[in-house]
Amino acid sequence: MTRLHQLLSEDHRHCDDLFATAEQAASQADWPSAQAAFACFVQAMTAHFLAEESQLFPAFEGATGMTGGPTAVMRHEHAQMRELLAAAQAALAAGQGDDFFAVVDTLLIMMQQHNMKEENVLYPMCDQHLAAQIDPLISALQQSLARL
Amino acid sequence: MQALLSFDQSPPLAAPLRFFLTAPWFAVLAGVLLWSEGATVFASRWMPSALAATHLLTLGFMLMTMLGALIQIFPVVAGANMAHPLRLARVVHGATSVGSLCLALAFLYSLPWLFALAGGLLLLAIAYFLGAAGLALRGQGLANPTIRGLKLALFGLWVTLLLGLGLVGALAGGWRLPWAGLTDLHAAWGLAGWSGTLLVAMAYVVVPMFQLTPGYPARESQLLSPVLLLCLLLWSVALLFSAEQVVRLAEAGLALLGLLFAGRTLYLQAHRRRPRRDALAAYWQSGMLAAILACGMLLTAAIAPALAQQRAWPLVFAVLLVAGAFMSFINGMLYKIIPFLGWLHLQNAGRGTAPPMAKLMPEAPALRQWWLHQLALLTLLLAALWPESFARLAGFCWVLANAALGWNLWQAARRYRQYRPAPMASGQGGGVA
């Protein structure tokens, strides 16, 4: 696993940790903690999406000339996850536990199958095609992930 | 680059769904057979009705769901779609369904021509599937552990098919083959080489990611499948040359690997960070316990082979492994895969926000069905030990448990159709799963 692959995969695991914390708080009906933890999770997810959409994907598209391929699918899935994140936040704010659990159950599977595609296919492809610009790209990604 | 090009062409929902909705009814048929035939099914592992029931479960249920899930999962784990997924699904599903029924009937009525027909249909289904899978995985190396596990499992399926065809040749064409030994090889490759290897490959992904457990140790996950296949190869060669000590050594090796995997998975599941126990977690925990008992029996038989000569021994072992372990893992996955795919396709149909998975497949009926499955499993074990007293009861309970599974899954598909926007109701919608 290269540094780019490792950086982004580790950030996936970081988001998983934040997700687990929020879901556990919600399962104890501790709504204020759940809301705070879920807000952290949303922030980390948003930072990850933005880093990929504004830096990684354009670099990949520039290097391969493919704009309608895997990066388009990843953008589409990001949009779907943003909708789920918003729905989960709304359910938490309204104190509707059942709705929250229903949405995050879907979100977790969506998120993990998305991560699998990125980690198994897209990141290895990025490693292959972006070797020439890997150092500045990794620095930029690190900054984006740390910013929020 | 080939992989990238097919990255977004995921199969239509109709491709995998037909496998998932059909499979439980083959398990129901096996239950009906046990219910009607009673104790004779458990008289010995060689009874025609026992062989028919076994293949209704291993082909009609297990192979059916595994192939359907693989058609769906190829783009996710490998970025490689299988060519013409809907046509592939129709042919493979049709040939597997009819082939499994023909094989069960051929066992029941000892009809050589029906064995030949069943063999031909299953050859068509599996060879077509393996050909498409081979093309989709062409050019993919062995660096990714999931892809490596997938390739090893597909190799196991090839070997199982070839051994099975040899046995069909013996039954249909009177080929002079050592069928008792071949049957053991066929069963071992089917259960360990194909199903076991696929399970391990999937578990390394599914357990940590979907149940939020700690990861499997890296070295262990890299080595387990290759070592398992080596043990199986060693066992096969030793069996062919009647090297009794080596056979027992390889059996002990297989049992220890199974114990390591199931024990590790249970340990990881005990540290899962998801607070609610859903059908997936329940089924995987009970399935791993059954796998531990089955592997414990295999280890005991390797140390004290005389024990395994008892009538009930192979029957209890098979019930634990097939009904207790493999079918449990599959059931648990089905309860997540179907609502997720339903949600995803509704979402992609793009008319408003799709209902979350729990609306398509509520948790309560799934957990009730898990209890029914446990009850049926218990009666099957009792029936293996005391067939006269429990066989028909076990058949009834098994029918009930699997009809409930089939009903639950059918309801999820029905709700999906209700939510689906009418103008796009073709079942052909694209998706990105």
Side-chain angles (χ1 to χ4, degrees):
Chain A
M1 198 185 283
T2 63
R3 284 190 299 141
L4 184 139
H5 197 153
Q6 194 173 357
L7 172 73
L8 294 170
S9 301
E10 279 174 3
D11 199 53
H12 284 163
R13 301 294 92 78
H14 171 60
C15 291
D16 289 351
D17 290 342
L18 297 174
F19 174 93
T21 308
E23 198 187 27
Q24 277 165 345
S27 77
Q28 289 157 7
D30 182 355
W31 303 119
S33 300
Q35 267 183 302
F38 201 79
C40 286
F41 166 64
V42 172
Q43 214 172 37
M45 290 286 280
T46 309
H48 188 92
F49 292 162
L50 277 177
E52 289 184 337
E53 287 166 3
S54 62
Q55 287 151 352
L56 182 70
F57 296 170
F60 177 83
E61 287 157 0
T64 62
M66 294 175 68
T67 52
T71 49
V73 180
M74 294 298 99
R75 283 195 171 93
H76 177 64
E77 294 190 355
H78 286 176
Q80 288 179 315
M81 284 186 276
R82 283 186 172 105
E83 273 185 40
L84 287 168
L85 289 170
Q89 268 188 315
L92 264 188
Q96 308 213 323
D98 284 347
D99 287 352
F100 172 76
F101 287 116
V103 174
V104 295
D105 209 29
T106 312
L107 172 64
L108 180 69
I109 298 189
M110 182 71 212
M111 201 163 106
Q112 298 300 5
Q113 64 91 39
H114 175 83
N115 292 352
M116 257 194 270
K117 286 179 189 169
E118 289 191 337
E119 291 172 30
N120 284 336
V121 185
L122 186 69
Y123 297 161
M125 286 291 168
C126 287
D127 286 334
Q128 195 183 332
H129 291 283
L130 303 178
Q133 45 183 308
I134 204 78
D135 286 334
L137 183 61
I138 287 179
S139 304
L141 285 169
Q142 276 171 329
Q143 277 179 7
S144 295
L145 293 176
R147 193 179 300 146
L148 288 169
Chain B
M1 194 52 84
Q2 179 64 37
L4 271 181
L5 295 175
S6 61
F7 196 62
D8 55 345
Q9 298 161 5
S10 97
L13 183 59
L17 197 61
R18 68 189 63 228
F19 291 89
F20 302 152
L21 295 183
T22 320
W25 304 103
F26 279 91
V28 167
L29 279 183
V32 170
L33 188 63
L34 179 56
W35 192 2
S36 63
E37 296 278 312
T40 53
V41 177
F42 283 109
S44 119
R45 63 177 282 211
W46 302 106
M47 291 303 290
S49 51
L51 292 165
T54 304
H55 285 86
L56 284 171
L57 296 181
T58 52
L59 288 173
F61 186 88
M62 284 174 58
L63 181 73
M64 182 79 85
T65 45
M66 289 153 87
L67 296 185
L70 281 178
I71 290 175
Q72 182 63 40
I73 213 168
F74 257 71
V76 180
V77 295
N81 211 345
M82 298 172 94
H84 309 295
L86 197 58
R87 188 178 71 193
L88 173 80
R90 284 187 181 131
V91 174
V92 172
H93 174 263
T96 307
S97 301
V98 182
S100 306
L101 279 177
C102 287
L103 189 65
L105 289 171
F107 277 122
L108 284 175
Y109 297 105
S110 299
L111 296 171
W113 67 268
L114 206 52
F115 274 115
L117 179 62
L121 285 167
L122 292 165
L123 171 65
L124 168 71
I126 298 172
Y128 183 17
F129 178 86
L130 286 171
L135 280 177
L137 288 175
R138 191 180 45 184
Q140 303 247 5
L142 292 173
N144 180 314
T146 312
I147 294 174
R148 191 172 57 230
L150 211 56
K151 286 185 172 179
L152 290 176
L154 293 175
F155 171 70
L157 179 58
W158 255 126
V159 177
T160 311
L161 171 70
L162 293 178
L163 291 164
L165 288 176
L167 287 162
V168 162
L171 291 161
W175 297 357
R176 294 169 66 83
L177 293 167
W179 55 270
L182 263 187
T183 305
D184 281 348
L185 279 176
H186 170 68
W189 277 89
L191 291 171
W194 154 236
S195 310
T197 311
L198 186 64
L199 170 70
V200 169
M202 290 301 118
Y204 287 149
V205 178
V206 168
V207 173
M209 289 182 105
F210 294 92
Q211 302 186 35
L212 294 181
T213 72
Y216 288 83
R219 180 64 64 86
E220 196 178 301
S221 59
Q222 280 166 356
L223 290 179
L224 199 126
S225 290
V227 176
L228 187 144
L229 272 192
L230 279 179
C231 274
L232 198 56
L233 278 170
L234 178 70
W235 181 80
S236 308
V237 173
L239 202 71
L240 289 175
F241 290 96
S242 303
E244 180 62 24
Q245 295 299 321
V246 185
V247 167
R248 285 166 59 185
L249 191 71
E251 277 174 2
L254 285 170
L256 288 171
L257 289 169
L259 286 170
L260 172 68
F261 168 73
R264 172 77 64 197
T265 307
L266 268 183
Y267 172 81
L268 293 177
Q269 282 179 319
H271 292 82
R272 69 199 287 272
R273 287 176 298 160
R274 297 212 71 196
R276 291 163 29 125
R277 186 168 183 268
D278 55 12
L280 175 70
Y283 261 121
W284 275 59
Q285 278 167 348
S286 62
M288 288 299 162
L289 281 175
I292 284 176
L293 291 176
C295 291
M297 285 183 78
L298 186 61
L299 187 62
T300 310
I303 296 165
L307 271 177
Q309 299 305 316
Q310 298 176 37
R311 178 201 59 85
W313 189 275
L315 299 169
V316 171
F317 176 73
V319 166
L320 282 171
L321 204 56
V322 174
F326 283 120
M327 288 186 64
S328 293
F329 305 135
I330 293 171
N331 289 2
M333 305 260 279
L334 287 177
Y335 278 125
K336 290 291 173 194
I337 294 173
I338 291 177
F340 177 69
L341 293 180
W343 173 83
L344 194 66
H345 284 267
L346 288 174
Q347 184 76 9
N348 287 331
R351 301 277 180 89
T353 307
M357 287 163 56
K359 290 269 193 291
L360 298 176
M361 185 64 249
E363 208 56 63
L367 283 169
R368 278 200 295 273
Q369 194 274 332
W370 177 83
W371 278 107
L372 275 179
H373 187 89
Q374 305 312 309
L375 175 71
L377 181 61
L378 181 68
T379 57
L380 278 175
L381 290 171
L382 292 171
L385 292 167
W386 299 286
E388 293 294 342
S389 309
F390 291 102
R392 286 185 199 278
L393 175 68
F396 176 74
C397 291
W398 189 246
V399 167
L400 213 62
N402 285 285
L405 174 71
W407 172 257
N408 285 346
L409 302 183
W410 184 259
Q411 287 298 304
R414 188 185 60 79
R415 289 186 201 106
Y416 162 76
R417 289 191 194 102
Q418 280 176 348
Y419 282 110
R420 192 173 52 177
M424 303 188 68
S426 62
Q428 306 284 319
V432 287

